[in-house]
C-alpha cells in the first residue's frame, strides 16, 4: 500500500541517490520530495523535486512538509573540502532548520540521519567532523519525533564506480579488499548502507544509533543481498 510521504535531502549523493531509487521503486512510498540545490534530470510520477536556494529559510516551501512520514537526510561534505563555517552550516544548521520546519506540521515522523563513525555526542572532540556530527545528533534526538536514527558508517565503499573526491579516497578504494578482511567495524558497501537506512526508515529499529557493524548486522538479519 503506497502511503508514505518521504522527503530526501542529498538525493544526488552516493547514498541519497540509492535511497531515492529504493523509494521510487517501493510500493510503500507514495510520494518523494527531493530537496536539491541543483535540478536533476530524474523524472518519476512519485517524485517532486524542489530546488532550494536557502536551506536555512524553508518557510517558502513549508507546505511540502505536511503529512511527512519518513525523512532521509544524506547531505554532507568531505572534511577539508569547505571552510569551517560552511561545514557547520551543512552538517548542523541545515538539518536543524529542516527539522524545525517539519515540526511545525507535527512530530509523527521518523528522521533518518546519515551521520558518521566517531560522532561525539558530548561535543568535546577537537575534530570538526566528530563534534558537528555529535551536535546534530543531539539536536535531532531532542526534537521529539516519533523516532530518530543516526547511521554512523566507517569507510563507505562505492559499489558503483565514481570519480573519487581526493587522493585519500582513491587510496581507500584501492585498499577496500584489506578493509573488508579487517571486519565489520571498518568499512561498508554503499548498497548495504542505503538499503539498511531505507528499511529502518520504513520499519523502524530499537536502536537510535547504528554504528558500522550494527548497520551490517541489520542487513544480514534481513538476508538482504549485498
Amino acid at each position: 500500500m503506497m502511503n508514505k510521504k518521504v522527503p530526501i535531502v542529498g538525493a544526488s549523493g552516493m547514498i541519497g541517490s540509492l535511497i531515492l531509487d529504493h523509494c521510487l521503486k517501493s510500493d510503500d512510498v507514495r510520494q518523494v520530495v527531493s530537496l536539491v540545490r541543483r535540478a536533476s534530470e530524474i523524472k518519476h510520477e512519485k517524485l517532486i523535486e524542489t530546488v532550494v536556494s536557502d536551506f536555512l529559510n524553508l518557510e517558502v516551501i513549508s507546505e511540502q512538509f505536511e503529512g511527512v512520514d519518513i525523512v532521509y537526510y544524506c547531505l554532507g561534505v568531505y572534511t577539508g573540502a569547505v571552510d569551517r563555517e560552511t561545514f557547520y552550516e551543512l552538517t548542523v544548521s541545515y538539518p536543524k532548520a529542516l527539522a524545525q520546519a517539519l515540526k511545525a506540521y507535527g512530530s509523527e515522523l521518523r528522521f533518518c540521519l546519515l551521520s558518521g563513525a566517531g560522532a561525539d555526542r558530548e561535543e568535546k572532540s577537537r575534530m570538526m567532523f566528530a563534534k558537528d556530527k555529535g551536535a546534530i545528533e543531539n539536536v535531532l534526538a531532542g526534537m521529539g519525533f516519533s523516532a530518530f536514527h543516526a547511521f554512523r558508517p566507517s569507510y563507505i565503499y562505492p559499489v558503483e564506480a565514481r570519480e573519487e573526491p581526493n587522493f585519500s579516497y582513491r587510496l581507500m578504494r584501492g585498499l577496500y579488499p584489506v578493509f573488508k578482511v579487517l571486519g565489520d567495524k571498518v568499512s561498508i558497501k554503499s548498497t548495504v548502507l542505503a538499503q539498511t537506512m531505507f528499511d529502518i526508515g520504513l520499519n523502524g529499529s530499537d536502536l537510535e544509533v547504528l554504528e558500522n557493524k550494527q548497520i551490517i548486522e541489520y542487513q544480514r538479519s534481513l538476508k538482504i543481498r549485498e
Side-chain angles (χ1 to χ4, degrees):
M1 181 179 180
M2 298 197 308
N3 59 358
K4 303 296 185 185
K5 182 176 180 180
V6 181
I8 301 177
V9 181
S12 63
M14 176 172 55
I15 302 304
S17 61
L18 293 172
I19 293 176
L20 173 61
D21 188 57
H22 283 303
C23 288
L24 295 179
K25 291 178 179 177
S26 173
D27 291 338
D28 294 313
V29 177
R30 63 175 172 84
Q31 187 177 83
V32 180
V33 179
S34 178
L35 305 181
V36 297
R37 288 176 288 185
R38 292 178 295 276
S40 73
E41 298 180 358
I42 301 173
K43 304 295 181 184
H44 195 282
E45 59 184 1
K46 290 185 187 180
L47 179 63
I48 297 174
E49 187 176 80
T50 301
V51 176
V52 180
S53 59
D54 183 3
F55 274 89
L56 297 178
N57 180 25
L58 298 174
E59 289 81 2
V60 293
I61 59 167
S62 61
E63 71 279 357
Q64 296 189 21
F65 300 141
E66 185 173 5
V68 164
D69 299 288
I70 308 163
V71 180
Y72 296 105
Y73 191 92
C74 304
L75 182 64
V77 63
Y78 296 104
T79 303
V82 295
D83 59 43
R84 177 71 184 92
E85 182 179 350
T86 303
F87 187 88
Y88 182 88
E89 188 172 79
L90 290 166
T91 307
V92 181
S93 301
Y94 282 11
K96 180 179 179 180
L98 174 63
Q100 291 171 335
L102 289 162
K103 194 67 181 292
Y105 286 92
S107 57
E108 296 302 310
L109 62 88
R110 184 174 291 125
F111 199 113
C112 296
L113 173 73
L114 179 55
S115 184
D120 177 21
R121 284 279 187 102
E122 293 185 358
E123 301 181 43
K124 295 180 179 179
S125 176
R126 294 183 179 180
M127 295 179 62
M128 177 176 65
F129 178 92
K131 185 175 181 179
D132 289 359
K133 289 293 187 180
I136 190 55
E137 285 188 16
N138 285 333
V139 168
L140 296 175
M143 290 295 292
F145 294 129
S146 296
F148 165 64
H149 302 289
F151 298 82
R152 296 179 177 179
S154 298
Y155 168 64
I156 305 172
Y157 174 74
V159 171
E160 184 175 336
R162 64 171 187 170
E163 183 178 347
E164 298 294 344
N166 54 46
F167 172 76
S168 295
Y169 278 89
R170 291 195 294 273
L171 179 62
M172 286 190 287
R173 183 178 180 87
L175 291 174
Y176 175 67
V178 177
F179 293 155
K180 192 172 182 181
V181 171
L182 294 176
D184 293 345
K185 294 182 179 181
V186 180
S187 65
I188 188 169
K189 288 184 177 180
S190 58
T191 49
V192 172
L193 173 56
Q195 178 76 72
T196 300
M197 286 187 67
F198 173 71
D199 285 340
I200 288 180
L202 280 180
N203 304 308
S205 170
D206 292 336
L207 299 175
E208 178 174 289
V209 175
L210 291 96
E211 302 287 355
N212 199 85
K213 182 178 180 180
Q214 293 165 314
I215 298 169
I216 293 174
E217 288 174 346
Y218 181 93
Q219 177 263 341
R220 286 176 178 158
S221 73
L222 295 181
K223 299 180 180 179
I224 301 170
R225 297 183 64 182
E226 297 187 17

